[in-house]
Amino acid sequence: MSVESTTDLSPRRPESRPAAVLLLVRPVGPQAEPHLVLIRRSQKVHTHKGQISFPGGGFHPSDGQLEVTALRETQEELGLAPASLRVLGALTPVDTVVSNFMINPFLAVPHDPQAPISYVPDDFEVASVLEVPLKELLKPSARRDEEWVMSGQPRQVVFYNYGPLVIWGATAYILSNFFKEIQAGKWASLFE
């Protein structure tokens, strides 16, 4: 059962555009360890070529709700039917500096956690599908912070590393917010 989005669609800055992404967590392996589904963006896309991100994209008025945007984009990028996923809730929105999107993340799990998942990646947008163990990203050693100067202002930039993968930008900020909620005891059902 999905939750209704209470996210305001009006952007914080005049040029910000609403967007939504899906944090899909699924059990993997004999221990049913929770893994986060990410994508590596292709070299064909207009922005953020080769970067690690969540499936998602810009809000279309026909979506009606940002949750629908996240599910629609996940279907377009990974071939997963919205009916096969259960949205657990919304996470804190992230306002991007470079691409001017207000990204609204939604957390989801498969309706049937035991059912195999067959990804059908869109060959224009997705170079590869990645399943990363949540427990590895939650380790303090997986995170590093740097201070960058952007438009003359210092900004904290968050990075998460898993093997050769480097997750940064809006994706890392979304993860940081998600992990704060996990550490505060929210989303405990993901680890049961």
Side-chain angles (χ1 to χ4, degrees):
M1 176 170 158
S2 74
V3 297
E4 250 188 64
S5 171
T6 56
T7 305
D8 181 4
L9 297 184
S10 60
R12 290 187 188 164
R13 296 177 302 171
E15 68 274 15
S16 289
R17 298 167 290 168
V21 298
L22 197 71
L23 281 73
L24 176 58
V25 176
R26 65 176 296 250
V28 173
Q31 303 298 327
E33 293 281 339
H35 280 57
L36 187 63
V37 177
L38 297 159
I39 62 171
R40 180 182 301 279
R41 292 172 59 82
S42 77
Q43 294 298 320
K44 301 172 189 175
V45 293
H46 301 296
T47 58
H48 309 296
K49 296 175 188 296
Q51 290 185 10
I52 307 301
S53 69
F54 299 109
F59 172 78
H60 295 168
S62 60
D63 293 337
Q65 296 180 31
L66 287 162
E67 179 183 316
V68 173
T69 302
L71 292 167
R72 174 183 53 77
E73 287 283 341
T74 300
Q75 182 172 27
E76 290 174 9
E77 294 177 9
L78 296 179
L80 299 178
S84 70
L85 306 174
R86 180 169 53 98
V87 176
L88 302 179
L91 302 170
T92 305
V94 171
D95 197 2
T96 65
V97 175
V98 177
S99 55
N100 298 322
F101 278 105
M102 177 59 69
I103 303 174
N104 297 268
F106 292 88
L107 179 62
V109 294
H111 266 298
D112 180 356
Q114 305 306 319
I117 290 183
S118 296
Y119 301 109
V120 183
D122 176 88
D123 67 347
F124 178 79
E125 294 188 69
V126 180
S128 58
V129 179
L130 311 163
E131 294 181 331
V132 179
L134 267 181
K135 70 177 184 180
E136 294 300 320
L137 291 176
L138 282 162
K139 290 180 179 176
S141 60
R143 178 182 168 144
R144 81 174 190 280
D145 294 76
E146 295 181 7
E147 187 173 290
W148 290 11
V149 177
M150 298 176 169
S151 302
Q153 299 295 317
R155 256 183 94 79
Q156 284 296 117
V157 180
V158 178
F159 295 84
Y160 286 93
N161 295 290
Y162 174 68
L165 300 180
V166 179
I167 303 165
W168 67 290
T171 304
Y173 281 103
I174 291 167
L175 279 178
S176 177
N177 291 336
F178 178 43
F179 294 162
K180 284 177 192 169
E181 290 188 5
I182 288 173
Q183 290 160 349
K186 194 170 183 181
W187 314 118
S189 63
L190 295 175
F191 300 92
E192 294 174 348

